[in-house]
């Protein structure tokens, strides 16, 4: 079975953020590091080349595929900031996201253009629920 491409690295999160050309994304990334660190009690770690993650968990699917992933994280991509904060519980996720603000969503992440588009208190609530949900699913 192939190894996961996205793994925790020892690369500097600060250096990664410093090289972001968009000043707004750079500022938002620094604030997201603060918010996610405060809510997890974990330091920021660079996963792969572009995901800033906090904490980790081990997953194993019914297919036998397994690996490690950050409990929560984000990636300051060119088009938007990808927030990896989704819950394993769809009903809970929908109710939490209702008050978040302006975002788009895919199956695995929430996309925001800028941090000022969302409610920071609601984001903290979603982070806490997401962590609890992942820990319930992958104890």
């Amino acid at each position: 079975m192939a190894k996961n491409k996205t793994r925790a690295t020892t690369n500097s999160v600060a250096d990664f953020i410093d090289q972001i050309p968009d000043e707004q994304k750079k500022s938002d990334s620094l604030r997201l590091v603060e918010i996610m660190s405060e809510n997890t009690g974990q330091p920021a770690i660079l996963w792969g080349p572009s995901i800033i993650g906090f904490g980790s968990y081990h997953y194993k699917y019914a297919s036998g595929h397994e690996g490690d992933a950050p409990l929560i994280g984000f990636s300051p991509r060119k088009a938007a900031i990808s927030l990896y904060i989704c819950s394993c519980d769809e009903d809970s996720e929908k109710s939490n996201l209702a008050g978040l603000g302006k975002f788009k969503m895919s199956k695995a992440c929430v996309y925001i253009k800028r941090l000022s588009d969302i409610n920071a208190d609601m984001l903290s609530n979603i982070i806490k629920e997401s962590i609890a949900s992942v820990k319930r699913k992958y104890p």
Side-chain angles (χ1 to χ4, degrees):
M1 187 159 293
K3 284 188 174 185
N4 290 344
K5 292 179 184 176
T6 305
R7 289 180 278 182
T9 71
T10 58
N11 297 339
S12 168
V13 171
D15 289 348
F16 171 71
I17 292 173
D18 193 48
Q19 61 81 34
I20 298 170
D22 182 307
E23 289 301 318
Q24 183 64 53
K25 272 201 179 76
K26 187 182 295 188
S27 174
D28 286 350
S29 294
L30 291 169
R31 182 64 186 127
L32 281 168
V33 166
E34 291 174 1
I35 291 169
M36 291 186 173
S37 290
E38 288 169 7
N39 282 283
T40 63
Q42 300 290 321
I45 294 174
L46 199 59
W47 287 70
S50 63
I51 295 173
I52 299 171
F54 301 81
S56 67
Y57 70 98
H58 186 80
Y59 62 86
K60 185 171 183 176
Y61 300 142
S63 66
H65 179 78
E66 63 183 297
D68 296 305
L71 281 171
I72 60 163
F74 72 96
S75 183
R77 309 236 184 243
K78 186 175 182 178
I81 298 172
S82 299
L83 302 174
Y84 303 104
I85 54 171
C86 294
S87 168
C88 299
D89 175 359
E90 247 181 77
D91 291 334
S92 174
E93 184 175 284
K94 285 179 185 173
S95 67
N96 282 333
L97 290 172
L100 184 59
K102 188 177 174 182
F103 67 92
K104 291 183 180 180
M105 187 171 176
S106 71
K107 184 173 176 121
C109 38
V110 172
Y111 303 100
I112 62 170
K113 290 285 186 184
R114 63 192 59 80
L115 199 52
S116 61
D117 286 342
I118 61 171
N119 179 318
D121 290 335
M122 186 57 68
L123 176 61
S124 290
N125 291 341
I126 293 168
I127 287 169
K128 290 172 188 166
E129 174 55 35
S130 178
I131 292 168
S133 178
V134 169
K135 287 182 174 181
R136 281 190 304 271
K137 187 168 182 172
Y138 303 102

